[in-house]
Amino acid sequence: MKWTFILLISIGLLSCSDSKQVNVSINADAAHFSEGNDSILKYQIAEKSLNGKYKRANYIHPLYALNGTVLTEDFPEDHPHHRGIFWAWHQLYIGDKRIGDGWEIDHFSWDVVSVEELPQKSSAKGIKAEVLWKSDLWLDAEGNEKPFVKEITTFKVYPRTENYRLIDIEINSLALEPNMRIGGSEDVKGYGGFSPRIKLPNDVAFTSSTGEIIPENLPVKAGPWMDISGLFSETEEPSGITILCHPMNPKPIDQWILRKQRSMQNAVYPFPGAEPMVLSQSHPTVLKYRIIIHSGDAKSLDINSIYSNYVIQ
């Protein structure tokens, strides 16, 4: 009996040590990911606005650091159309007709049709969102907004390790109209696409696989991942967020638009750049990213190894 009791205690302790489990709660307004008492992120389902302006949905905010600090911004004063972690393009055309601007949220809206939990074989959790792109400049015969792109986006959130957490995002965009084109800003920067709006502390540091990166006005060439670290909370140690770009994404995947203050970070320039590209009606355009939320700076974990494991999945 004595040894049985000890064995049961041992089994219980082992179970507790392996009991890390991400949870997801899908409500009408948002999907919330958490682990134990820790919030991880919120995916915005319902449309929200700032006093009726800059209406947005289909993005992540807030995104939390491991210590609970909020890493992202929504409705920032300098660019109120920016929102958490988002993906959008300035130029939207059907043929020669311009039908809105998803970046500036001008004549554009997201209809999140459904969000469902995906089955997982591990203690991670995933969701799939079906989203329709719409505009009041593209109507059907009855005068209703007619969807012109169907987006299927999946999110997979992993349990934290000692000093980091992984989040995978895959965006699939399929045109619903012939000659549907998307493009970045109409200047030499050509920015658009996957764009985190992150709080930028005074000591923010950018690091890639090539070393420390100094932001410039134009895109900078670096490796396929970028780390952004600093003192996001004055009372805590440094922490950071790393953005990994999958090698199957449209090339190149080594150019970034980075800013040290009052801006988003654009990963990765150019897709498709200032010249619009046609979205297929039969084969979705796929963009894949992995986010690492970590404590410490870029040197506190082996990002190259995490990237190597990511690209073979």
Side-chain angles (χ1 to χ4, degrees):
M1 178 68 71
K2 176 181 178 181
W3 290 110
T4 302
F5 181 70
I6 293 175
L7 179 61
L8 289 173
I9 291 177
S10 300
I11 293 174
L13 290 174
L14 181 61
S15 299
C16 289
S17 65
D18 293 337
S19 63
K20 290 185 177 181
Q21 174 70 56
V22 174
N23 298 298
V24 62
S25 173
I26 303 173
N27 303 311
D29 64 326
H32 300 259
F33 286 86
S34 62
E35 184 178 348
N37 294 324
D38 297 331
S39 295
I40 301 172
L41 65 83
K42 180 176 77 171
Y43 167 68
Q44 188 65 36
I45 298 173
E47 187 177 80
K48 63 186 297 190
S49 69
L50 181 65
N51 299 321
K53 299 180 180 180
Y54 311 107
K55 296 178 181 179
R56 75 277 308 270
N58 188 39
Y59 67 103
I60 292 172
H61 177 80
L63 174 68
Y64 295 89
L66 297 183
N67 61 21
T69 300
V70 174
L71 295 172
T72 51
E73 296 181 301
D74 202 8
F75 302 105
E77 291 185 4
D78 52 271
H79 295 87
H81 53 280
H82 287 178
R83 59 265 187 198
I85 296 179
F86 66 105
W87 41 99
W89 290 268
H90 277 289
Q91 300 182 67
L92 301 171
Y93 285 93
I94 298 178
D96 294 327
K97 179 179 175 63
R98 191 157 190 171
I99 55 172
D101 184 329
W103 184 278
E104 298 276 357
I105 320 181
D106 182 28
H107 295 287
F108 185 86
S109 64
W110 298 264
D111 182 3
V112 183
V113 176
S114 65
V115 179
E116 62 183 42
E117 184 175 346
L118 295 173
Q120 299 294 329
K121 295 181 180 179
S122 66
S123 51
K125 285 293 173 110
I127 61 172
K128 179 178 75 171
E130 179 179 340
V131 184
L132 298 176
W133 299 8
K134 295 182 178 180
S135 169
D136 59 1
L137 299 179
W138 191 251
L139 308 177
D140 62 19
E142 287 73 40
N144 300 312
E145 292 185 2
K146 186 180 180 183
F148 51 87
V149 169
K150 180 171 76 171
E151 174 192 317
I152 301 293
T153 295
T154 60
F155 308 85
K156 186 175 182 179
V157 179
Y158 297 81
R160 65 173 290 175
T161 67
E162 181 179 355
N163 68 330
Y164 70 85
R165 181 191 305 283
L166 303 179
I167 301 167
D168 289 342
I169 302 172
E170 179 176 321
I171 305 159
N172 295 258
S173 301
L174 185 71
L176 300 178
E177 298 287 352
N179 201 19
M180 172 68 219
R181 295 180 293 147
I182 64 172
S185 62
E186 297 165 274
D187 55 22
V188 68
K189 299 176 211 175
Y191 62 86
F194 191 78
S195 304
R197 174 68 194 223
I198 302 165
K199 292 182 179 180
L200 294 172
N202 293 331
D203 66 337
V204 64
F206 297 86
T207 308
S208 80
S209 58
T210 61
E212 182 181 358
I213 300 298
I214 305 300
E216 301 176 9
N217 183 50
L218 297 180
V220 295
K221 189 170 183 177
W225 57 262
M226 185 65 61
D227 182 79
I228 306 166
S229 295
L231 286 169
F232 289 90
S233 173
E234 295 181 359
T235 61
E236 300 286 349
E237 65 173 346
S239 56
I241 173 173
T242 316
I243 304 161
L244 284 60
C245 303
H246 199 280
M248 295 301 291
N249 287 354
K251 303 298 186 291
I253 59 168
D254 63 351
Q255 298 183 50
W256 304 73
I257 293 179
L258 305 171
R259 298 290 183 268
K260 296 191 72 172
Q261 58 183 352
R262 299 188 304 169
S263 184
M264 54 79 208
Q265 315 300 324
N266 192 201
V268 177
Y269 169 92
F271 175 71
E275 186 66 29
M277 63 160 280
V278 176
L279 286 181
S280 171
Q281 288 185 270
S282 56
H283 301 287
T285 297
V286 181
L287 299 172
K288 296 182 179 181
Y289 303 94
R290 168 167 282 181
I291 293 174
I292 310 172
I293 305 299
H294 62 84
S295 56
D297 58 19
K299 298 177 182 178
S300 65
L301 66 166
D302 189 348
I303 300 175
N304 281 323
S305 292
I306 296 174
Y307 184 78
S308 296
N309 290 330
Y310 174 51
V311 301
I312 63 175
Q313 292 183 0

